[in-house]
Amino acid sequence: MSGHSKWANIKHKKARMDAKKGKVFTRIAKELTVAAKQGGGDVEANARLKAAIQKAKEANMPNDNIERAIKKGTGEIEGVVYEEINYEGYGPAGVAVLMDVATDNRNRTAAEIRHLFAKHGGNLGESGCVAWMFERKGYITVDMTEEMDGEEIMLVAIECGAEDVFVEEDTVEITTSPESLDQVKEQLDGQGFSISEAEVTMIPSNTIKVTDENDGEKLLKLMEILEDHDDVQNAYANFDIDDNLMEKISL
């Protein structure tokens, strides 16, 4: 979990900055369009679309933007046709990197992603080279307060249907099956817990310890640049960086 946790926490803080640049809306709009194209515009019959709409609302995306993106996906209005691809590669220190990409030009995007990997000490790999190291899971983080008991939250989460629970200093990380995510989130919400994140994501089955400061800096820079790429919807990695080293590294 630590690899996912470290990058997830960085992304969570970074998302606030991205929102100012409009990048969050662009990424969500693309996800809405792709989800509607694949599963139709009926929210109740399309779980992926329902999750994308929820994410859009959490980001305060205007309803007009949401509706327009969905209609582009269903073909009600003209729009760009996106192709979904998974890219895989290795970052500095041999860290596995997996990306969800949505593009209207596969050749252009592949060349750009390959260049970013090469520039920052990694290399883009063949299909299947690292995907086996990740598993799709529901992921929830609960903010801890001084009054909260981590073990109590752990028991409640398991009773709600969680698969695993990890208690950190100021957060509790919960994993579920993708299908159980909404159910567990709703039950935790109903019991008054403060949920800062809830999503279906890819969690590494094992992690690589990064101890070299130079490798750590290059790795986090690579991850940041991949996340900033217009065609990359999500980027995942299986690194673990010690907190002391993390403090020395600035993005």
Side-chain angles (χ1 to χ4, degrees):
M1 279 293 291
S2 56
H4 176 77
S5 172
K6 292 284 174 62
W7 183 237
N9 290 338
I10 292 169
K11 287 199 297 181
H12 184 67
K13 295 174 184 176
K14 186 173 174 297
R16 291 194 290 269
M17 294 167 33
D18 285 348
K20 298 176 183 178
K21 306 172 190 175
K23 290 185 177 180
V24 169
F25 284 1
T26 300
R27 183 165 289 150
I28 294 174
K30 191 178 289 188
E31 170 64 13
L32 288 164
T33 298
V34 172
K37 179 185 176 183
Q38 286 196 348
D42 183 351
V43 177
E44 296 307 318
N46 187 341
R48 180 175 176 181
L49 180 60
K50 184 177 182 180
I53 292 174
Q54 179 63 34
K55 187 175 293 186
K57 290 182 176 179
E58 289 172 356
N60 295 316
M61 188 173 185
N63 287 332
D64 287 348
N65 294 33
I66 295 173
E67 292 175 7
R68 186 163 58 249
I70 293 172
K71 287 180 179 179
K72 286 179 181 179
T74 58
E76 294 175 67
I77 60 177
E78 187 176 349
V80 177
V81 177
Y82 295 112
E83 177 184 9
E84 285 193 292
I85 313 167
N86 291 123
Y87 285 142
E88 307 170 41
Y90 296 93
V95 168
V97 181
L98 177 66
M99 292 152 285
D100 297 328
V101 170
T103 177
D104 61 347
N105 188 325
R106 175 193 284 255
N107 292 334
R108 182 206 69 226
T109 301
E112 291 175 354
I113 298 296
R114 184 175 291 107
H115 172 71
L116 292 177
F117 268 87
K119 185 177 179 180
H120 296 281
N123 62 283
L124 189 63
E126 298 294 327
S127 178
C129 67
V130 304
W132 60 274
M133 302 181 194
F134 295 83
E135 188 174 4
R136 187 170 294 279
K137 291 287 185 182
Y139 174 75
I140 299 170
T141 56
V142 175
D143 292 331
M144 290 274 287
T145 64
E146 292 183 359
E147 297 76 23
M148 287 185 176
D149 183 334
E151 290 189 6
E152 180 182 347
I153 297 176
M154 182 183 297
L155 291 174
V156 171
I158 291 174
E159 289 177 359
C160 291
E163 292 183 352
D164 287 304
V165 184
F166 302 84
V167 180
E168 302 289 341
E169 288 186 5
D170 56 355
T171 61
V172 176
E173 300 180 339
I174 299 166
T175 59
T176 73
S177 68
E179 298 77 17
S180 300
L181 175 65
D182 287 342
Q183 171 194 320
V184 175
K185 177 181 179 295
E186 288 174 5
Q187 291 192 43
L188 291 172
D189 266 335
Q191 298 198 40
F193 292 111
S194 176
I195 295 175
S196 59
E197 187 177 4
E199 63 179 355
V200 175
T201 187
M202 300 295 286
I203 294 179
S205 56
N206 57 69
T207 57
I208 291 179
K209 187 79 172 178
V210 178
T211 57
D212 181 79
E213 184 173 346
N214 185 49
D215 281 343
E217 287 181 348
K218 289 193 293 185
L219 175 62
L220 293 185
K221 187 62 177 178
L222 171 62
M223 295 301 296
E224 180 187 28
I225 288 176
L226 289 175
E227 281 276 349
D228 277 344
H229 192 282
D230 288 342
D231 295 337
V232 176
Q233 294 294 92
N234 297 290
Y236 315 99
N238 72 335
F239 67 86
D240 183 15
I241 298 179
D242 181 84
D243 289 339
N244 292 329
L245 179 57
M246 183 71 82
E247 289 179 4
K248 297 179 182 178
I249 300 172
S250 60
L251 288 175

